[in-house]
Amino acid sequence: MAARNRAGFFLFMEKDRVAVYIDGFNLYHSLVEAAAKSPMGNVLKWFDVRKMILNKVSDKEEIVSIKYFTALFPDSDKQDRHKKYIKVLEDMGVQVILGRFKEKTVFCRRCKKPFKTHEEKRTDVNIALHLLNDFYSNVYDLAIIVSGDTDLIPAIDMIRKADYMKKIGIIFPYNRYNREFKGNTTFVNKMKLRDIESAILPDPYIHSVTGIHLTKPVDWS
């Protein structure tokens, strides 16, 4: 981008570097809710996160990295669907950072009997660590976090206090909002149903390296 100064010389203006941090589970559960509201249904789970972000940034900004934080569920069928989606994301240049699931015992509120379930761990910690590490490595001018998890606020506060010139924005996944972020960030934005419907991956998705056709899972049709 170029502009003339008073002497008539061209000045080249660098674009703001944008790093994106996506809470995969927060996003996925919002897509489930969006699918229930949209005539497109479960197709919305075959979601193009990169296209959605590109639709949100301005022509004065350049995406330098997208990081997607998630974990593989122990169930084999769910894991297979998830791995296929991860292959697509990685082929698009998205860096996937995996946490883990931990088994825990909970009690049924109605029958009071214990049962086993799984809890996703490390996502919020991983996001905070990458957000801070990228800040100290001067990776971005603007960090965009796709999440509604307020556990990230301490890391955001630390960055804003260290360098008030760094901008941090929040994009809330569909049907998510928390007013606590408003005083801690440069801006907040809500992901609307139309934002999701206009950012669906091609089916099949053709892998750029292997040429393999990756079709969306049958359950997501």
Side-chain angles (χ1 to χ4, degrees):
M1 182 178 183
R4 289 183 185 271
N5 65 8
R6 291 181 180 178
F9 294 104
F10 282 106
L11 298 175
F12 289 90
M13 309 295 289
E14 291 186 358
K15 292 184 177 183
D16 281 349
R17 299 163 299 159
V18 180
V20 184
Y21 305 84
I22 300 171
D23 182 337
F25 281 96
N26 209 287
L27 175 60
Y28 175 77
H29 289 298
S30 79
L31 293 176
V32 172
E33 293 178 27
K37 295 285 187 180
S38 170
M40 295 174 67
N42 284 335
V43 170
L44 299 192
K45 297 178 185 179
W46 194 236
F47 185 54
D48 190 336
V49 294
R50 185 175 183 84
K51 185 174 181 180
M52 184 275 294
I53 295 296
L54 285 169
N55 289 340
K56 292 284 188 181
V57 301
S58 75
D59 58 4
K60 296 179 181 179
E61 297 165 335
E62 179 182 8
I63 297 172
V64 295
S65 70
I66 299 176
K67 295 183 179 182
Y68 185 89
F69 299 82
T70 189
L72 294 173
F73 195 75
D75 177 88
S76 60
D77 289 339
K78 290 182 180 179
Q79 192 173 116
D80 288 344
R81 294 196 293 269
H82 203 170
K83 283 181 176 178
K84 180 184 285 189
Y85 184 60
I86 285 173
K87 279 184 182 179
V88 173
L89 293 181
E90 290 179 332
D91 186 57
M92 296 170 64
V94 176
Q95 183 182 352
V96 178
I97 292 93
L98 293 177
R100 66 185 181 92
F101 275 94
K102 182 180 180 181
E103 187 176 80
K104 69 174 185 177
T105 301
V106 296
F107 288 85
C108 175
R109 292 184 180 180
R110 291 184 178 180
C111 67
K112 307 301 181 184
K113 292 181 179 180
F115 64 94
K116 298 287 185 183
T117 187
H118 290 87
E119 181 181 34
E120 184 272 327
K121 305 291 287 185
R122 298 182 183 173
T123 289
D124 54 347
V125 174
N126 281 339
I127 294 174
L129 289 173
H130 279 261
L131 188 68
L132 285 164
N133 185 66
D134 289 350
F135 164 70
Y136 287 113
S137 299
N138 193 28
V139 168
Y140 57 80
D141 303 301
L142 165 63
I144 296 178
I145 302 168
V146 181
S147 179
D149 191 342
T150 56
D151 288 342
L152 297 172
I153 289 178
I156 294 170
D157 285 344
M158 187 177 293
I159 293 168
R160 298 298 300 279
K161 287 176 183 176
D163 185 351
Y164 70 94
M165 294 296 289
K166 292 292 184 187
K167 295 174 284 187
I168 300 180
I170 297 291
I171 297 178
F172 290 108
Y174 176 77
N175 208 27
R176 303 287 190 276
Y177 181 75
N178 195 306
R179 65 178 64 250
E180 287 185 51
F181 281 103
K182 199 164 185 179
N184 301 82
T185 54
T186 310
F187 67 84
V188 295
N189 194 299
K190 293 181 181 179
M191 194 184 298
K192 298 180 175 62
L193 192 58
R194 64 175 178 269
D195 295 325
I196 302 170
E197 292 174 337
S198 62
I200 303 303
L201 290 162
D203 186 35
Y205 177 90
I206 303 174
H207 197 280
S208 65
V209 177
T210 64
I212 292 174
H213 288 216
L214 297 166
T215 57
K216 72 175 180 294
V218 175
D219 293 349
W220 293 5
S221 299

